[in-house]
């Protein structure tokens, strides 16, 4: 009998903030809850909520859902956290036994993470695809799982430099080949995973790899190699604290003893494993051991006990949840019933097995069914089959006599159909061509119109900036110089005038204030820091200049490059300047966070304030808040702007700009 016991299980990692062992601790959950209540950072709160959703997936699904929703809401302004909320959503849907929504959530996470070029995001993309593959495998798509591992999960793990993830993906791939009886290929990937885990001192993963290798060698009839793998696993297990790891060892050991005909030791290993599985409430692992117990009984021709084990397993949802296991149970029930002489029931189970089996086993199953049919049917049934065969031969002879006439009629009909088809295709192609030309013409007109609008906006913005520079220069160099000269003359006059000296000093003080205000206006119209030191320094100075005792502005910048064209720098500066002005004057904010970052040709701006907020549905009707100017500049840089706000809840504005040449 074919024997493959599916080992794949749904594995998700939370390596960003904590270990799997920590997640089992109530103190770990308490510390995360404390962060959600006391931290002043939205990003820290969001991260803690997401990890709590993972912690409660199998403990309290309702709490897991609440933490996921809160984490997604709190981390909406942070691209990585927003993407990870869908990753943990995939975990939550899996825990709720909804594989369709689970896969959709992992795909959404991968799409969002692909926009963030960091090792962390790439590593979570690899984990997302691995989980998608496991979902596909659970539905019986072993080939799809292998394809995802080879073309998605493993390359992404390698790109992220996550060697442990690479090793685990190799081990998953070995299970695919083991389950499809390609044992030599499975061996290669098992050894590769061991070579990854051994230098990293990943003891738990090494134990799993050795147990998997032992099972694969047993199925490949390489018993000395299987014994070596079992001995290697045993050495590590003796000092390993997690005693539930013995369960898989006993499974592999029982397979080894069963194949080497030491059935007594095989059953002893199974009993040890079952006791441990019950102690740690590992239902699926317990059922894997019972499936191995069936094989041991079956190989001793003890069909009664073998069938009893399978009857129990056929009622267990954990075992029957995968196609591979259902095939084994159905086939085993067919074999044991046949061995006990119950041919009608054997035939019924083998028919169910045939309907479920894939195309690879189809011909073998057909032969098995035919063999049971021969045992089941009486001699009269065989005569009836023979009579039907004779009748078919007569029908074939009659059909042969009519074939020539049918062929002639068919040929004429085909010629007419071909002519009609060519005529129809010619008409349809001409119609499609005309429609395509019309659509192309309309598209060209639309593109010309859009291009004209872009040129108009570009000319208007450039003209506005040139006028700002001219007026700033005139104010600073012309009027500013004249006022400075007047100040100097008045200062000299004050020293020679005794009686009116105090009045002159008062006038000089007013004049000095006027010169300072004049220079401030000139700097706002064309900041010197932008021209001299670049965009990063200019934005920092802008935030500093707009701070006051009543308004605190935090400025954060990441990777802003110096080679951005100056016109583009000025446009970005104006956008930030306008949004800060809106936050202070209109939103009456007391705390503003400004984040600016650059990733190659993309420039990201996030401005978050604690002001009074506004109804975003009324943006198009708003007057005097300058958002129209901001939108025009964003469009000029081929960008996008997203506004998240509500009355009395502050405002968050996310802008993505194209600054490439």
């Amino acid at each position: 009998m074919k024997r493959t016991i599916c080992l794949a299980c749904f594995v998700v990692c939370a390596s960003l903030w904590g270990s799997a062992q920590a997640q089992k601790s109530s103190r770990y959950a308490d510390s995360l809850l404390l962060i959600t209540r006391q931290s002043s950072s939205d990003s820290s709160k969001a991260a803690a909520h997401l990890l709590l959703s993972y912690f409660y997936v199998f403990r309290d699904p309702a709490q897991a859902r609440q933490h996921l929703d809160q984490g997604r809401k709190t981390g909406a302004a942070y691209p990585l956290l927003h993407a990870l909320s869908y990753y943990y959503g995939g975990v939550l849907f899996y825990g709720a036994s909804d594989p369709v929504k689970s896969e959709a959530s992992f795909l959404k996470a991968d799409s969002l993470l692909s926009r963030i070029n960091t090792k962390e995001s790439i590593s979570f993309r690899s984990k997302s695809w691995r989980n998608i593959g496991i979902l596909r495998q659970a539905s019986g798509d072993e080939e799809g799982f292998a394809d995802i591992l080879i073309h998605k999960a493993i390359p992404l793990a390698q790109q992220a430099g996550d060697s442990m993830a690479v090793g685990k993906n190799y081990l998953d791939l070995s299970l695919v080949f083991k389950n499809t009886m390609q044992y030599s290929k499975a061996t290669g990937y098992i050894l590769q995973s061991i070579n990854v885990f051994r230098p990293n001192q990943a003891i738990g993963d090494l134990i799993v790899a050795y147990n998997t290798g032992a099972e694969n060698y047993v199925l490949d009839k390489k018993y000395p190699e299987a014994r070596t793998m079992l001995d290697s696993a045993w050495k590590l297990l003796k000092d390993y604290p997690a005693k539930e790891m013995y369960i898989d060892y006993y499974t592999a050991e029982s397979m080894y003893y069963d194949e080497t005909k030491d059935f007594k030791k095989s059953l002893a290993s199974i009993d040890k494993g079952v006791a441990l599985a019950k102690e740690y409430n590992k239902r699926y692992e317990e059922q894997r051991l019972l499936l191995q117990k069936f094989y041991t009984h079956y190989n001793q021709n003890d069909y009664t006990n073998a069938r009893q084990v399978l009857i129990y397993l056929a009622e267990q949802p954990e075992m029957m949840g995968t196609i591979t296991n259902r095939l084994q149970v159905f086939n085993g029930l067919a074999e044991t019933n046949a061995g006990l002489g119950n041919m009608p029931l054997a035939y019924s189970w083998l028919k169910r097995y045939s309907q479920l089996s894939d195309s690879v086993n189809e011909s073998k199953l057909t032969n098995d069914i035919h063999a049971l049919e021969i045992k089941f049917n009486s001699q009269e049934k065989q005569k009836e089959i023979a009579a039907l065969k004779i009748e078919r031969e007569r029908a074939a002879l009659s059909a042969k006599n009519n074939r020539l006439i049918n062929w002639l009629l068919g040929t004429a009909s085909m010629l007419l159909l071909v002519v009609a088809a060519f005529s129809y295709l010619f008409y349809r192609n001409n119609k499609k061509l005309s429609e395509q030309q019309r659509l192309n013409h309309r598209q060209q007109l639309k593109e010309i119109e859009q291009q004209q609008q872009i040129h108009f906006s570009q000319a208007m913005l450039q003209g506005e900036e040139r006028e700002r520079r001219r007026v700033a220069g005139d104010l600073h160099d012309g009027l500013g110089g004249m006022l400075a000269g007047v100040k100097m003359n008045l200062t000299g006059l004050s020293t020679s005038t005794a009686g009116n000296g105090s009045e002159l000093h008062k006038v000089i003080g007013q004049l000095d204030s006027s010169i300072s205000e004049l220079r401030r206006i000139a700097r706002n119209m064309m900041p010197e820091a932008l021209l001299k030191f670049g965009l990063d320094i200019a934005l920092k100075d802008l935030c500093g200049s707009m701070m006051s005792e009543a308004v605190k502005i935090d400025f954060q910048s990441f990777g802003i490059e110096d080679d951005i064209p100056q016109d583009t720098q000025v446009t970005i500066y104006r956008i930030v300047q306008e949004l800060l002005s809106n936050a202070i004057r209109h939103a009456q904010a007391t705390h503003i966070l400004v984040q600016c970052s650059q990733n190659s040709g993309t420039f990201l701006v996030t401005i978050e304030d604690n002001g009074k907020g506004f109804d975003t549905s009324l943006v198009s009707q708003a007057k005097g808040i300058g958002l129209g100017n901001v939108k025009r500049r964003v469009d000029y840089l081929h960008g996008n702007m997203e506004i998240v706000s509500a009355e009395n809840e502050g405002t968050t504005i996310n802008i993505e700009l194209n600054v490439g040449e």
Side-chain angles (χ1 to χ4, degrees):
M1 289 178 64
K2 173 185 174 183
R3 168 165 51 180
T4 58
I5 302 177
C6 182
L7 284 172
C9 61
F10 192 83
V11 179
V12 290
C13 300
S15 58
L16 182 58
W17 293 281
S19 68
Q21 290 298 323
Q23 289 179 339
K24 296 177 182 178
S25 167
S26 60
R27 289 184 300 172
Y28 171 75
D30 292 340
S31 66
L32 290 176
L33 284 171
L34 192 63
I35 292 172
T36 64
R37 294 165 183 166
Q38 297 183 357
S39 176
S40 60
S41 168
D42 283 345
S43 61
S44 298
K45 288 181 180 179
H49 278 301
L50 293 179
L51 288 179
L52 282 168
S53 76
Y54 176 76
F55 179 85
Y56 284 112
V57 163
F58 297 106
R59 294 175 173 85
D60 189 340
Q63 278 203 59
R65 179 79 240 187
Q66 292 176 5
H67 284 295
L68 178 66
D69 292 341
Q70 191 61 40
R72 182 170 293 168
K73 179 180 177 182
T74 309
Y78 303 93
L80 178 60
L81 293 173
H82 181 63
L84 289 180
S85 71
Y86 287 96
Y87 174 85
Y88 289 107
V91 179
L92 181 65
F93 285 126
Y94 179 83
S97 300
D98 193 339
V100 175
K101 288 185 178 179
S102 179
E103 180 171 334
S105 193
F106 282 126
L107 287 171
K108 176 71 172 178
D110 175 71
S111 175
L112 294 173
L113 289 167
S114 66
R115 306 171 190 175
I116 308 171
N117 189 22
T118 65
K119 288 188 176 181
E120 193 170 65
S121 64
I122 296 170
S123 179
F124 270 98
R125 287 187 66 197
S126 174
K127 294 181 178 89
S128 295
W129 276 108
R130 182 186 181 215
N131 291 334
I132 292 169
I134 292 171
L135 287 168
R136 302 273 179 89
Q137 186 196 38
S139 67
D141 188 4
E142 294 280 0
E143 182 180 354
F145 186 26
D147 182 70
I148 286 174
L149 288 172
I150 293 171
H151 296 106
K152 293 287 188 179
I154 292 175
L156 286 169
Q158 291 172 335
Q159 185 181 348
D162 192 344
S163 62
M164 290 298 296
V166 172
K168 290 176 181 179
N169 285 323
Y170 282 153
L171 196 56
D172 287 341
L173 196 54
S174 73
L175 292 174
V176 173
F177 288 118
K178 182 171 81 72
N179 290 341
T180 54
M181 298 186 290
Q182 301 179 66
Y183 304 122
S184 296
K185 289 184 178 180
T187 297
Y189 285 107
I190 291 170
L191 295 177
Q192 286 190 65
S193 69
I194 290 173
N195 290 335
V196 172
F197 297 146
R198 189 180 291 139
N200 284 286
Q201 296 295 307
I203 305 302
D205 293 310
L206 265 176
I207 292 171
V208 174
Y210 284 139
N211 288 336
T212 305
E215 290 190 18
N216 188 68
Y217 277 132
V218 167
L219 294 171
D220 202 17
K221 310 299 182 185
K222 295 181 178 180
Y223 304 122
E225 291 87 345
R227 184 71 262 175
T228 300
M229 286 284 183
L230 287 170
D231 292 342
S232 298
W234 182 258
K235 290 179 182 177
L236 297 176
L237 280 166
K238 288 190 296 183
D239 300 320
Y240 197 68
K243 298 305 178 185
E244 65 266 28
M245 296 291 285
Y246 279 93
I247 298 172
D248 286 337
Y249 172 83
Y250 286 129
T251 302
E253 186 180 58
S254 66
M255 288 179 63
Y256 171 78
Y257 285 134
D258 181 39
E259 289 294 325
T260 55
K261 309 304 180 186
D262 196 338
F263 301 120
K264 185 177 180 180
K265 287 185 178 179
S266 176
L267 291 173
S269 296
I270 291 170
D271 290 340
K272 293 177 185 177
V274 168
L276 275 174
K278 288 181 178 179
E279 179 182 350
Y280 289 98
N281 196 27
K282 302 285 187 179
R283 289 190 53 78
Y284 182 74
E285 287 75 5
E286 176 190 352
Q287 291 164 26
R288 285 188 65 231
L289 283 157
L290 291 176
L291 185 58
Q292 179 56 42
K293 191 171 189 178
F294 151 73
Y295 284 113
T296 303
H297 285 315
Y298 180 84
N299 289 334
Q300 297 178 85
N301 297 324
D302 184 359
Y303 301 126
T304 301
N305 284 325
R307 184 177 65 173
Q308 197 65 31
V309 171
L310 289 180
I311 290 173
Y312 170 77
L313 291 178
E315 298 173 352
Q316 307 309 310
E318 295 85 1
M319 174 58 59
M320 303 303 284
T322 62
I323 291 176
T324 303
N325 291 340
R326 290 203 298 274
L327 285 171
Q328 292 182 86
V329 171
F330 293 165
N331 191 42
L333 285 168
E335 293 284 352
T336 52
N337 277 293
L340 293 170
N342 191 342
M343 302 312 298
L345 195 55
Y347 175 76
S348 174
W349 281 111
L350 194 57
K351 189 173 182 180
R352 292 182 66 179
Y353 173 71
S354 174
Q355 292 170 347
L356 184 62
S357 179
D358 57 19
S359 59
V360 175
N361 298 319
E362 189 170 353
S363 61
K364 178 182 180 299
L365 292 174
T366 302
N367 293 333
D368 290 342
I369 292 171
H370 182 63
L372 281 176
E373 283 179 326
I374 294 174
K375 296 177 182 179
F376 175 70
N377 290 325
S378 64
Q379 186 175 4
E380 287 76 14
K381 189 68 175 180
Q382 294 302 315
K383 291 179 180 179
E384 182 181 347
I385 292 173
L388 289 174
K389 183 177 180 181
I390 294 172
E391 186 64 28
R392 284 198 301 270
E393 290 175 351
R394 289 176 179 173
L397 181 61
S398 176
K400 185 177 180 180
N401 293 331
N402 294 324
R403 191 170 299 149
L404 180 60
I405 296 173
N406 291 336
W407 183 83
L408 291 173
L409 293 174
T411 301
S413 300
M414 286 299 297
L415 287 173
L416 291 173
L417 285 174
V418 168
V419 172
F422 272 110
S423 299
Y424 173 74
L425 289 174
F426 180 78
Y427 167 78
R428 190 180 63 177
N429 289 339
N430 280 343
K431 185 177 180 181
K432 282 186 177 180
L433 182 61
S434 299
E435 181 66 18
Q436 188 63 42
Q437 289 174 344
R438 187 177 64 81
L439 291 175
N440 289 342
H441 181 65
R442 182 181 298 174
Q443 183 65 26
Q444 288 172 357
L445 290 176
K446 185 176 180 181
E447 289 175 356
I448 291 171
E449 182 181 354
Q450 291 176 347
Q451 195 66 29
Q452 287 176 343
Q453 290 178 354
I454 291 172
H455 288 325
F456 174 77
S457 296
Q458 181 178 5
M460 186 167 61
L461 289 174
Q462 289 176 347
E464 182 180 311
E465 291 302 330
R466 283 197 298 270
E467 186 62 17
R468 282 176 179 266
R469 291 190 185 186
R470 186 189 66 78
V471 174
D474 290 345
L475 288 173
H476 186 275
D477 300 331
L479 184 56
M482 292 173 64
L483 289 174
V486 172
K487 177 187 173 183
M488 291 176 62
N489 291 332
L490 288 174
T491 302
L493 183 61
S494 68
T495 59
S496 62
T497 305
N500 298 320
S502 60
E503 291 295 323
L504 283 173
H505 280 298
K506 182 178 179 181
V507 172
I508 291 170
Q510 292 173 344
L511 185 59
D512 195 51
S513 298
S514 300
I515 293 171
S516 298
E517 180 64 13
L518 178 65
R519 288 175 177 170
R520 185 189 66 79
I521 294 170
R523 279 198 304 272
N524 282 341
M525 297 190 73
M526 184 48 61
E528 294 178 3
L530 179 62
L531 301 176
K532 292 181 179 180
F533 305 110
L535 182 59
D536 196 358
I537 299 299
L539 291 175
K540 184 177 181 181
D541 287 349
L542 173 63
C543 293
S545 68
M546 299 186 76
M547 275 201 299
S548 65
E549 292 182 358
V551 180
K552 180 182 178 183
I553 301 177
D554 291 335
F555 175 72
Q556 300 173 4
S557 63
F558 308 94
I560 298 178
E561 299 176 3
D562 296 327
D563 59 350
I564 301 175
Q566 191 174 87
D567 287 346
T568 303
Q569 293 186 41
V570 171
T571 302
I572 296 172
Y573 182 93
R574 296 298 180 206
I575 291 172
V576 176
Q577 185 181 38
E578 186 68 38
L579 293 176
L580 284 175
S581 177
N582 286 346
I584 294 171
R585 289 191 294 132
H586 299 292
Q588 300 175 1
T590 60
H591 186 276
I592 304 172
L593 172 65
V594 180
Q595 290 182 332
C596 296
S597 62
Q598 184 178 354
N599 183 6
S600 186
T602 301
F603 195 99
L604 302 174
V605 178
T606 297
I607 297 182
E608 181 178 341
D609 67 65
N610 65 346
K612 61 184 182 181
F614 61 96
D615 187 354
T616 56
S617 65
L618 303 177
V619 169
S620 60
Q621 305 173 17
K623 303 294 184 181
I625 60 174
L627 286 178
N629 290 334
V630 174
K631 184 65 170 62
R632 185 155 48 87
R633 288 185 168 92
V634 170
D635 292 341
Y636 170 64
L637 292 181
H638 307 288
N640 299 304
M641 179 170 66
E642 178 189 26
I643 302 175
V644 181
S645 182
E647 293 185 359
N648 301 319
E649 291 187 10
T651 302
T652 299
I653 299 179
N654 298 309
I655 298 175
E656 180 178 330
L657 303 171
N658 178 22
V659 297
E661 292 293 336

